[in-house]
Amino acid sequence: MNIRQKKIVIIGATSCIAEHCARFWAEGSPSELILVGRDSTKTELVAADLRVRTPGTVVTTIETDFLDPVKIQELANEINNTGAADIVLIAHGLLPDQQNCQTDLNACEEALKVNAISPVMFAESFVGYMEAANKGTLAIIGSVAGDRGRKTNYVYGAAKGLVARYAQGLQHRLAKTEVKVVLIKPGPTDSPMTAHLKVQNARLATVEKVAKGIVDGIAREKPLVYVPVRWELIMWIIQHLPARIFNRLDI
């Protein structure tokens, strides 16, 4: 008996976290992985690695513009033409320099578009197909930075806060359906995007641990996933600190 392959779409597939999520999925049940990236050469390198690791996995790549709503909708239409995806992971983003965002409005605009507007557009383009099919899981990577604005990264945090509020609304919209929406909030992770934090001796989770937590959280269809799990308690404390105390902290 043939086992049906899960159709898994990864937006921003060249990020370290997304790449490791793809590896876990490829090593698990039979899957069709569709990797979406902004650079076809980089995306194909990820695909080639997956094909070598798990020859039975079907891997395809697609290049698109992550800020063009027309291109994003065309991508979703193309992918869903053969049926709605079982899992869509929206994983792209960039970690901007806060000081630069304060003095360069172009940098500020880019950070907000890439980290907030683009993920929302991708989610909307895919979720309608899932809703029509009454199945599937849409997962969006946010960040613990979105839980409370801090002076060191509030532009990035504001973007991730928008993603969190959007995901909550989407969960409400789809509550009476079989479609699941999973909001993922990683803490600082040891990846190229956070190389400057490693220099500062920050405590960073490994990419493998974060990716495993994401894949497991999606499998359990949890509405909110903090990875590593300790960040749920940490951010609860930070969220509930009175302003008179919080504003004294150099974080």
Side-chain angles (χ1 to χ4, degrees), residues 166-212:
Y166 168 79
Q168 289 173 348
L170 202 54
Q171 288 167 346
H172 190 203
R173 166 186 162 187
L174 300 169
K176 296 180 181 180
T177 75
E178 294 302 314
V179 180
K180 306 301 180 184
V181 177
V182 180
L183 173 62
I184 302 150
K185 295 186 178 183
T189 304
D190 188 1
S191 68
M193 193 169 77
T194 57
H196 64 290
L197 297 178
K198 195 171 184 179
V199 172
Q200 298 167 13
N201 295 317
R203 186 182 177 189
L204 305 177
T206 65
V207 172
E208 292 84 355
K209 183 174 183 178
V210 170
K212 186 66 166 59

mmCIF file of all heavy atoms in Angstrom, residues 166-212:
data_model
loop_
_atom_site.group_PDB
_atom_site.id
_atom_site.type_symbol
_atom_site.label_atom_id
_atom_site.label_comp_id
_atom_site.label_asym_id
_atom_site.label_seq_id
_atom_site.Cartn_x
_atom_site.Cartn_y
_atom_site.Cartn_z
ATOM 1 N N TYR A 166 -1.599 38.983 14.380
ATOM 2 C CA TYR A 166 -2.201 38.439 13.163
ATOM 3 C C TYR A 166 -2.519 36.957 13.351
ATOM 4 O O TYR A 166 -3.617 36.494 13.008
ATOM 5 C CB TYR A 166 -1.259 38.633 11.976
ATOM 6 C CG TYR A 166 -1.684 37.841 10.759
ATOM 7 C CD1 TYR A 166 -2.708 38.302 9.933
ATOM 8 C CD2 TYR A 166 -1.072 36.632 10.452
ATOM 9 C CE1 TYR A 166 -3.121 37.557 8.834
ATOM 10 C CE2 TYR A 166 -1.474 35.889 9.359
ATOM 11 C CZ TYR A 166 -2.497 36.358 8.547
ATOM 12 O OH TYR A 166 -2.909 35.616 7.471
ATOM 13 N N ALA A 167 -1.569 36.202 13.881
ATOM 14 C CA ALA A 167 -1.769 34.762 14.072
ATOM 15 C C ALA A 167 -2.940 34.504 15.021
ATOM 16 O O ALA A 167 -3.729 33.574 14.813
ATOM 17 C CB ALA A 167 -0.499 34.116 14.604
ATOM 18 N N GLN A 168 -3.060 35.320 16.056
ATOM 19 C CA GLN A 168 -4.177 35.164 16.989
ATOM 20 C C GLN A 168 -5.515 35.380 16.270
ATOM 21 O O GLN A 168 -6.480 34.631 16.476
ATOM 22 C CB GLN A 168 -4.044 36.150 18.137
ATOM 23 C CG GLN A 168 -2.918 35.811 19.098
ATOM 24 C CD GLN A 168 -2.696 36.907 20.129
ATOM 25 O OE1 GLN A 168 -3.224 38.016 20.010
ATOM 26 N NE2 GLN A 168 -1.917 36.608 21.148
ATOM 27 N N GLY A 169 -5.579 36.398 15.437
ATOM 28 C CA GLY A 169 -6.799 36.659 14.687
ATOM 29 C C GLY A 169 -7.119 35.537 13.721
ATOM 30 O O GLY A 169 -8.293 35.165 13.543
ATOM 31 N N LEU A 170 -6.075 34.990 13.107
ATOM 32 C CA LEU A 170 -6.270 33.886 12.173
ATOM 33 C C LEU A 170 -6.768 32.642 12.913
ATOM 34 O O LEU A 170 -7.633 31.911 12.414
ATOM 35 C CB LEU A 170 -4.953 33.592 11.449
ATOM 36 C CG LEU A 170 -5.029 32.867 10.100
ATOM 37 C CD1 LEU A 170 -5.949 33.591 9.126
ATOM 38 C CD2 LEU A 170 -3.623 32.738 9.511
ATOM 39 N N GLN A 171 -6.233 32.410 14.095
ATOM 40 C CA GLN A 171 -6.704 31.288 14.904
ATOM 41 C C GLN A 171 -8.182 31.458 15.246
ATOM 42 O O GLN A 171 -8.956 30.483 15.228
ATOM 43 C CB GLN A 171 -5.862 31.172 16.174
ATOM 44 C CG GLN A 171 -4.451 30.655 15.915
ATOM 45 C CD GLN A 171 -3.520 30.837 17.102
ATOM 46 O OE1 GLN A 171 -3.833 31.569 18.045
ATOM 47 N NE2 GLN A 171 -2.375 30.169 17.055
ATOM 48 N N HIS A 172 -8.568 32.677 15.553
ATOM 49 C CA HIS A 172 -9.971 32.949 15.860
ATOM 50 C C HIS A 172 -10.846 32.705 14.632
ATOM 51 O O HIS A 172 -11.922 32.092 14.719
ATOM 52 C CB HIS A 172 -10.113 34.396 16.352
ATOM 53 C CG HIS A 172 -11.456 34.713 16.927
ATOM 54 N ND1 HIS A 172 -11.961 35.984 16.992
ATOM 55 C CD2 HIS A 172 -12.407 33.901 17.449
ATOM 56 C CE1 HIS A 172 -13.163 35.950 17.544
ATOM 57 N NE2 HIS A 172 -13.462 34.708 17.835
ATOM 58 N N ARG A 173 -10.392 33.182 13.487
ATOM 59 C CA ARG A 173 -11.139 33.005 12.244
ATOM 60 C C ARG A 173 -11.357 31.538 11.919
ATOM 61 O O ARG A 173 -12.441 31.143 11.446
ATOM 62 C CB ARG A 173 -10.388 33.694 11.100
ATOM 63 C CG ARG A 173 -10.858 33.314 9.686
ATOM 64 C CD ARG A 173 -9.951 33.935 8.634
ATOM 65 N NE ARG A 173 -10.090 33.288 7.340
ATOM 66 C CZ ARG A 173 -9.311 33.558 6.282
ATOM 67 N NH1 ARG A 173 -8.337 34.457 6.380
ATOM 68 N NH2 ARG A 173 -9.494 32.917 5.129
ATOM 69 N N LEU A 174 -10.361 30.705 12.176
ATOM 70 C CA LEU A 174 -10.399 29.302 11.761
ATOM 71 C C LEU A 174 -10.771 28.348 12.888
ATOM 72 O O LEU A 174 -10.666 27.134 12.730
ATOM 73 C CB LEU A 174 -9.034 28.913 11.189
ATOM 74 C CG LEU A 174 -8.586 29.727 9.959
ATOM 75 C CD1 LEU A 174 -7.133 29.450 9.640
ATOM 76 C CD2 LEU A 174 -9.471 29.409 8.759
ATOM 77 N N ALA A 175 -11.212 28.887 14.013
ATOM 78 C CA ALA A 175 -11.476 28.060 15.199
ATOM 79 C C ALA A 175 -12.504 26.963 14.948
ATOM 80 O O ALA A 175 -12.451 25.898 15.572
ATOM 81 C CB ALA A 175 -11.927 28.948 16.348
ATOM 82 N N LYS A 176 -13.455 27.193 14.061
ATOM 83 C CA LYS A 176 -14.511 26.211 13.801
ATOM 84 C C LYS A 176 -14.197 25.316 12.605
ATOM 85 O O LYS A 176 -15.066 24.602 12.109
ATOM 86 C CB LYS A 176 -15.848 26.924 13.592
ATOM 87 C CG LYS A 176 -16.327 27.679 14.830
ATOM 88 C CD LYS A 176 -17.660 28.371 14.591
ATOM 89 C CE LYS A 176 -18.101 29.124 15.838
ATOM 90 N NZ LYS A 176 -19.409 29.817 15.633
ATOM 91 N N THR A 177 -12.951 25.365 12.140
ATOM 92 C CA THR A 177 -12.513 24.521 11.030
ATOM 93 C C THR A 177 -11.473 23.522 11.510
ATOM 94 O O THR A 177 -11.072 23.532 12.678
ATOM 95 C CB THR A 177 -11.913 25.364 9.890
ATOM 96 O OG1 THR A 177 -10.596 25.803 10.278
ATOM 97 C CG2 THR A 177 -12.778 26.579 9.579
ATOM 98 N N GLU A 178 -11.015 22.688 10.595
ATOM 99 C CA GLU A 178 -9.952 21.726 10.918
ATOM 100 C C GLU A 178 -8.562 22.285 10.596
ATOM 101 O O GLU A 178 -7.560 21.582 10.738
ATOM 102 C CB GLU A 178 -10.173 20.427 10.140
ATOM 103 C CG GLU A 178 -11.429 19.667 10.553
ATOM 104 C CD GLU A 178 -11.431 19.301 12.021
ATOM 105 O OE1 GLU A 178 -10.385 18.808 12.505
ATOM 106 O OE2 GLU A 178 -12.453 19.523 12.689
ATOM 107 N N VAL A 179 -8.502 23.547 10.169
ATOM 108 C CA VAL A 179 -7.220 24.181 9.863
ATOM 109 C C VAL A 179 -6.589 24.673 11.165
ATOM 110 O O VAL A 179 -7.261 25.308 11.985
ATOM 111 C CB VAL A 179 -7.395 25.359 8.886
ATOM 112 C CG1 VAL A 179 -6.048 26.005 8.575
ATOM 113 C CG2 VAL A 179 -8.069 24.886 7.607
ATOM 114 N N LYS A 180 -5.314 24.388 11.348
ATOM 115 C CA LYS A 180 -4.598 24.791 12.552
ATOM 116 C C LYS A 180 -3.580 25.885 12.221
ATOM 117 O O LYS A 180 -2.921 25.836 11.179
ATOM 118 C CB LYS A 180 -3.875 23.596 13.180
ATOM 119 C CG LYS A 180 -4.787 22.406 13.451
ATOM 120 C CD LYS A 180 -5.925 22.749 14.379
ATOM 121 C CE LYS A 180 -6.825 21.538 14.620
ATOM 122 N NZ LYS A 180 -8.003 21.870 15.458
ATOM 123 N N VAL A 181 -3.464 26.842 13.114
ATOM 124 C CA VAL A 181 -2.479 27.908 12.976
ATOM 125 C C VAL A 181 -1.541 27.829 14.171
ATOM 126 O O VAL A 181 -1.993 27.875 15.323
ATOM 127 C CB VAL A 181 -3.144 29.289 12.914
ATOM 128 C CG1 VAL A 181 -2.088 30.396 12.839
ATOM 129 C CG2 VAL A 181 -4.094 29.378 11.723
ATOM 130 N N VAL A 182 -0.263 27.707 13.911
ATOM 131 C CA VAL A 182 0.745 27.567 14.957
ATOM 132 C C VAL A 182 1.663 28.786 14.929
ATOM 133 O O VAL A 182 2.314 29.058 13.916
ATOM 134 C CB VAL A 182 1.579 26.282 14.767
ATOM 135 C CG1 VAL A 182 2.634 26.157 15.860
ATOM 136 C CG2 VAL A 182 0.671 25.051 14.751
ATOM 137 N N LEU A 183 1.704 29.524 16.029
ATOM 138 C CA LEU A 183 2.614 30.660 16.171
ATOM 139 C C LEU A 183 3.835 30.195 16.952
ATOM 140 O O LEU A 183 3.708 29.683 18.067
ATOM 141 C CB LEU A 183 1.928 31.813 16.897
ATOM 142 C CG LEU A 183 2.813 33.007 17.265
ATOM 143 C CD1 LEU A 183 3.394 33.658 16.016
ATOM 144 C CD2 LEU A 183 2.021 34.024 18.090
ATOM 145 N N ILE A 184 4.992 30.369 16.357
ATOM 146 C CA ILE A 184 6.246 29.901 16.960
ATOM 147 C C ILE A 184 7.065 31.099 17.417
ATOM 148 O O ILE A 184 7.274 32.045 16.657
ATOM 149 C CB ILE A 184 7.050 29.074 15.941
ATOM 150 C CG1 ILE A 184 6.224 27.878 15.462
ATOM 151 C CG2 ILE A 184 8.364 28.611 16.530
ATOM 152 C CD1 ILE A 184 6.538 27.439 14.063
ATOM 153 N N LYS A 185 7.529 31.043 18.654
ATOM 154 C CA LYS A 185 8.323 32.142 19.208
ATOM 155 C C LYS A 185 9.676 31.614 19.686
ATOM 156 O O LYS A 185 9.826 31.215 20.847
ATOM 157 C CB LYS A 185 7.582 32.817 20.363
ATOM 158 C CG LYS A 185 6.301 33.516 19.948
ATOM 159 C CD LYS A 185 5.688 34.281 21.115
ATOM 160 C CE LYS A 185 4.430 35.017 20.695
ATOM 161 N NZ LYS A 185 3.855 35.818 21.811
ATOM 162 N N PRO A 186 10.662 31.607 18.798
ATOM 163 C CA PRO A 186 12.005 31.189 19.227
ATOM 164 C C PRO A 186 12.667 32.278 20.075
ATOM 165 O O PRO A 186 12.434 33.475 19.878
ATOM 166 C CB PRO A 186 12.758 30.996 17.912
ATOM 167 C CG PRO A 186 11.718 31.063 16.831
ATOM 168 C CD PRO A 186 10.616 31.901 17.369
ATOM 169 N N GLY A 187 13.508 31.820 20.991
ATOM 170 C CA GLY A 187 14.402 32.740 21.656
ATOM 171 C C GLY A 187 15.639 32.919 20.793
ATOM 172 O O GLY A 187 15.712 32.390 19.681
ATOM 173 N N PRO A 188 16.635 33.691 21.251
ATOM 174 C CA PRO A 188 17.864 33.873 20.475
ATOM 175 C C PRO A 188 18.486 32.530 20.096
ATOM 176 O O PRO A 188 18.660 31.651 20.938
ATOM 177 C CB PRO A 188 18.773 34.655 21.436
ATOM 178 C CG PRO A 188 17.813 35.398 22.314
ATOM 179 C CD PRO A 188 16.645 34.471 22.505
ATOM 180 N N THR A 189 18.778 32.374 18.813
ATOM 181 C CA THR A 189 19.244 31.105 18.273
ATOM 182 C C THR A 189 20.600 31.287 17.600
ATOM 183 O O THR A 189 20.856 32.302 16.951
ATOM 184 C CB THR A 189 18.226 30.567 17.246
ATOM 185 O OG1 THR A 189 16.933 30.472 17.876
ATOM 186 C CG2 THR A 189 18.624 29.202 16.730
ATOM 187 N N ASP A 190 21.461 30.301 17.757
ATOM 188 C CA ASP A 190 22.814 30.362 17.196
ATOM 189 C C ASP A 190 22.752 30.155 15.681
ATOM 190 O O ASP A 190 22.769 29.030 15.181
ATOM 191 C CB ASP A 190 23.685 29.279 17.845
ATOM 192 C CG ASP A 190 25.147 29.412 17.449
ATOM 193 O OD1 ASP A 190 25.479 30.352 16.691
ATOM 194 O OD2 ASP A 190 25.954 28.580 17.895
ATOM 195 N N SER A 191 22.658 31.255 14.949
ATOM 196 C CA SER A 191 22.569 31.220 13.490
ATOM 197 C C SER A 191 23.336 32.415 12.932
ATOM 198 O O SER A 191 23.724 33.317 13.677
ATOM 199 C CB SER A 191 21.099 31.294 13.057
ATOM 200 O OG SER A 191 20.559 32.564 13.358
ATOM 201 N N PRO A 192 23.551 32.444 11.613
ATOM 202 C CA PRO A 192 24.248 33.602 11.032
ATOM 203 C C PRO A 192 23.570 34.927 11.345
ATOM 204 O O PRO A 192 24.231 35.966 11.459
ATOM 205 C CB PRO A 192 24.207 33.298 9.528
ATOM 206 C CG PRO A 192 24.182 31.815 9.448
ATOM 207 C CD PRO A 192 23.345 31.382 10.615
ATOM 208 N N MET A 193 22.251 34.920 11.512
ATOM 209 C CA MET A 193 21.520 36.155 11.782
ATOM 210 C C MET A 193 21.855 36.738 13.149
ATOM 211 O O MET A 193 21.711 37.936 13.382
ATOM 212 C CB MET A 193 20.011 35.895 11.669
ATOM 213 C CG MET A 193 19.160 37.137 11.619
ATOM 214 S SD MET A 193 17.433 36.812 11.160
ATOM 215 C CE MET A 193 16.784 36.147 12.691
ATOM 216 N N THR A 194 22.317 35.882 14.068
ATOM 217 C CA THR A 194 22.605 36.337 15.432
ATOM 218 C C THR A 194 24.091 36.245 15.768
ATOM 219 O O THR A 194 24.467 36.135 16.937
ATOM 220 C CB THR A 194 21.809 35.507 16.453
ATOM 221 O OG1 THR A 194 22.137 34.118 16.280
ATOM 222 C CG2 THR A 194 20.310 35.702 16.280
ATOM 223 N N ALA A 195 24.941 36.289 14.762
ATOM 224 C CA ALA A 195 26.382 36.152 14.988
ATOM 225 C C ALA A 195 26.905 37.202 15.955
ATOM 226 O O ALA A 195 27.784 36.929 16.780
ATOM 227 C CB ALA A 195 27.122 36.242 13.655
ATOM 228 N N HIS A 196 26.353 38.427 15.891
ATOM 229 C CA HIS A 196 26.821 39.494 16.777
ATOM 230 C C HIS A 196 26.471 39.208 18.237
ATOM 231 O O HIS A 196 27.194 39.621 19.150
ATOM 232 C CB HIS A 196 26.208 40.827 16.351
ATOM 233 C CG HIS A 196 24.724 40.899 16.479
ATOM 234 N ND1 HIS A 196 23.882 40.182 15.660
ATOM 235 C CD2 HIS A 196 23.930 41.583 17.340
ATOM 236 C CE1 HIS A 196 22.625 40.427 16.007
ATOM 237 N NE2 HIS A 196 22.632 41.265 17.022
ATOM 238 N N LEU A 197 25.390 38.477 18.476
ATOM 239 C CA LEU A 197 25.021 38.119 19.846
ATOM 240 C C LEU A 197 25.988 37.094 20.421
ATOM 241 O O LEU A 197 26.294 37.109 21.611
ATOM 242 C CB LEU A 197 23.599 37.570 19.887
ATOM 243 C CG LEU A 197 22.483 38.536 19.472
ATOM 244 C CD1 LEU A 197 21.126 37.837 19.527
ATOM 245 C CD2 LEU A 197 22.478 39.784 20.358
ATOM 246 N N LYS A 198 26.469 36.201 19.554
ATOM 247 C CA LYS A 198 27.428 35.193 19.999
ATOM 248 C C LYS A 198 28.726 35.860 20.445
ATOM 249 O O LYS A 198 29.351 35.444 21.424
ATOM 250 C CB LYS A 198 27.692 34.194 18.870
ATOM 251 C CG LYS A 198 28.389 32.921 19.317
ATOM 252 C CD LYS A 198 28.408 31.895 18.197
ATOM 253 C CE LYS A 198 29.015 30.594 18.677
ATOM 254 N NZ LYS A 198 29.031 29.567 17.604
ATOM 255 N N VAL A 199 29.122 36.901 19.733
ATOM 256 C CA VAL A 199 30.321 37.665 20.103
ATOM 257 C C VAL A 199 30.156 38.277 21.487
ATOM 258 O O VAL A 199 31.106 38.409 22.263
ATOM 259 C CB VAL A 199 30.611 38.760 19.050
ATOM 260 C CG1 VAL A 199 31.737 39.674 19.516
ATOM 261 C CG2 VAL A 199 30.976 38.120 17.717
ATOM 262 N N GLN A 200 28.910 38.655 21.823
ATOM 263 C CA GLN A 200 28.614 39.265 23.115
ATOM 264 C C GLN A 200 28.407 38.223 24.212
ATOM 265 O O GLN A 200 27.973 38.542 25.317
ATOM 266 C CB GLN A 200 27.359 40.134 22.994
ATOM 267 C CG GLN A 200 27.505 41.287 22.015
ATOM 268 C CD GLN A 200 26.173 41.942 21.678
ATOM 269 O OE1 GLN A 200 25.163 41.704 22.328
ATOM 270 N NE2 GLN A 200 26.161 42.761 20.640
ATOM 271 N N ASN A 201 28.701 36.950 23.897
ATOM 272 C CA ASN A 201 28.570 35.842 24.844
ATOM 273 C C ASN A 201 27.132 35.621 25.303
ATOM 274 O O ASN A 201 26.882 35.215 26.439
ATOM 275 C CB ASN A 201 29.486 36.052 26.067
ATOM 276 C CG ASN A 201 30.958 36.017 25.702
ATOM 277 O OD1 ASN A 201 31.376 35.163 24.921
ATOM 278 N ND2 ASN A 201 31.735 36.939 26.245
ATOM 279 N N ALA A 202 26.179 35.928 24.442
ATOM 280 C CA ALA A 202 24.779 35.672 24.767
ATOM 281 C C ALA A 202 24.523 34.167 24.765
ATOM 282 O O ALA A 202 25.178 33.405 24.056
ATOM 283 C CB ALA A 202 23.873 36.362 23.761
ATOM 284 N N ARG A 203 23.565 33.737 25.581
ATOM 285 C CA ARG A 203 23.212 32.323 25.654
ATOM 286 C C ARG A 203 22.248 32.011 24.512
ATOM 287 O O ARG A 203 21.101 32.462 24.521
ATOM 288 C CB ARG A 203 22.568 32.007 27.005
ATOM 289 C CG ARG A 203 22.296 30.520 27.219
ATOM 290 C CD ARG A 203 21.620 30.296 28.547
ATOM 291 N NE ARG A 203 21.287 28.890 28.751
ATOM 292 C CZ ARG A 203 20.538 28.436 29.749
ATOM 293 N NH1 ARG A 203 20.050 29.296 30.634
ATOM 294 N NH2 ARG A 203 20.272 27.160 29.870
ATOM 295 N N LEU A 204 22.732 31.253 23.541
ATOM 296 C CA LEU A 204 21.946 30.987 22.347
ATOM 297 C C LEU A 204 21.604 29.506 22.251
ATOM 298 O O LEU A 204 22.432 28.637 22.532
ATOM 299 C CB LEU A 204 22.721 31.407 21.091
ATOM 300 C CG LEU A 204 23.226 32.852 21.035
ATOM 301 C CD1 LEU A 204 24.021 33.073 19.761
ATOM 302 C CD2 LEU A 204 22.075 33.836 21.122
ATOM 303 N N ALA A 205 20.376 29.224 21.839
ATOM 304 C CA ALA A 205 19.972 27.838 21.609
ATOM 305 C C ALA A 205 20.541 27.361 20.281
ATOM 306 O O ALA A 205 20.767 28.155 19.358
ATOM 307 C CB ALA A 205 18.451 27.740 21.590
ATOM 308 N N THR A 206 20.764 26.070 20.150
ATOM 309 C CA THR A 206 21.261 25.529 18.887
ATOM 310 C C THR A 206 20.130 25.516 17.863
ATOM 311 O O THR A 206 18.946 25.391 18.207
ATOM 312 C CB THR A 206 21.791 24.105 19.056
ATOM 313 O OG1 THR A 206 20.719 23.230 19.412
ATOM 314 C CG2 THR A 206 22.877 24.058 20.132
ATOM 315 N N VAL A 207 20.509 25.634 16.605
ATOM 316 C CA VAL A 207 19.521 25.591 15.532
ATOM 317 C C VAL A 207 18.787 24.253 15.530
ATOM 318 O O VAL A 207 17.568 24.185 15.323
ATOM 319 C CB VAL A 207 20.199 25.817 14.162
ATOM 320 C CG1 VAL A 207 19.217 25.591 13.034
ATOM 321 C CG2 VAL A 207 20.780 27.218 14.083
ATOM 322 N N GLU A 208 19.517 23.171 15.775
ATOM 323 C CA GLU A 208 18.910 21.847 15.780
ATOM 324 C C GLU A 208 17.829 21.732 16.840
ATOM 325 O O GLU A 208 16.738 21.191 16.585
ATOM 326 C CB GLU A 208 19.980 20.770 16.011
ATOM 327 C CG GLU A 208 20.965 20.602 14.883
ATOM 328 C CD GLU A 208 22.125 21.603 14.947
ATOM 329 O OE1 GLU A 208 22.091 22.488 15.835
ATOM 330 O OE2 GLU A 208 23.032 21.494 14.111
ATOM 331 N N LYS A 209 18.087 22.248 18.037
ATOM 332 C CA LYS A 209 17.107 22.173 19.121
ATOM 333 C C LYS A 209 15.868 22.992 18.795
ATOM 334 O O LYS A 209 14.739 22.558 19.049
ATOM 335 C CB LYS A 209 17.736 22.656 20.433
ATOM 336 C CG LYS A 209 16.810 22.538 21.634
ATOM 337 C CD LYS A 209 17.519 22.898 22.927
ATOM 338 C CE LYS A 209 16.598 22.694 24.125
ATOM 339 N NZ LYS A 209 17.290 23.004 25.403
ATOM 340 N N VAL A 210 16.078 24.174 18.248
ATOM 341 C CA VAL A 210 14.946 25.034 17.903
ATOM 342 C C VAL A 210 14.116 24.400 16.795
ATOM 343 O O VAL A 210 12.876 24.356 16.861
ATOM 344 C CB VAL A 210 15.442 26.435 17.498
ATOM 345 C CG1 VAL A 210 14.307 27.263 16.903
ATOM 346 C CG2 VAL A 210 16.037 27.156 18.710
ATOM 347 N N ALA A 211 14.783 23.892 15.766
ATOM 348 C CA ALA A 211 14.060 23.258 14.658
ATOM 349 C C ALA A 211 13.269 22.050 15.129
ATOM 350 O O ALA A 211 12.116 21.837 14.714
ATOM 351 C CB ALA A 211 15.038 22.858 13.556
ATOM 352 N N LYS A 212 13.857 21.238 15.993
ATOM 353 C CA LYS A 212 13.147 20.060 16.523
ATOM 354 C C LYS A 212 11.920 20.501 17.310
ATOM 355 O O LYS A 212 10.839 19.897 17.200
ATOM 356 C CB LYS A 212 14.082 19.247 17.424
ATOM 357 C CG LYS A 212 13.476 17.921 17.900
ATOM 358 C CD LYS A 212 13.253 16.969 16.750
ATOM 359 C CE LYS A 212 12.969 15.543 17.202
ATOM 360 N NZ LYS A 212 11.797 15.400 18.065
#
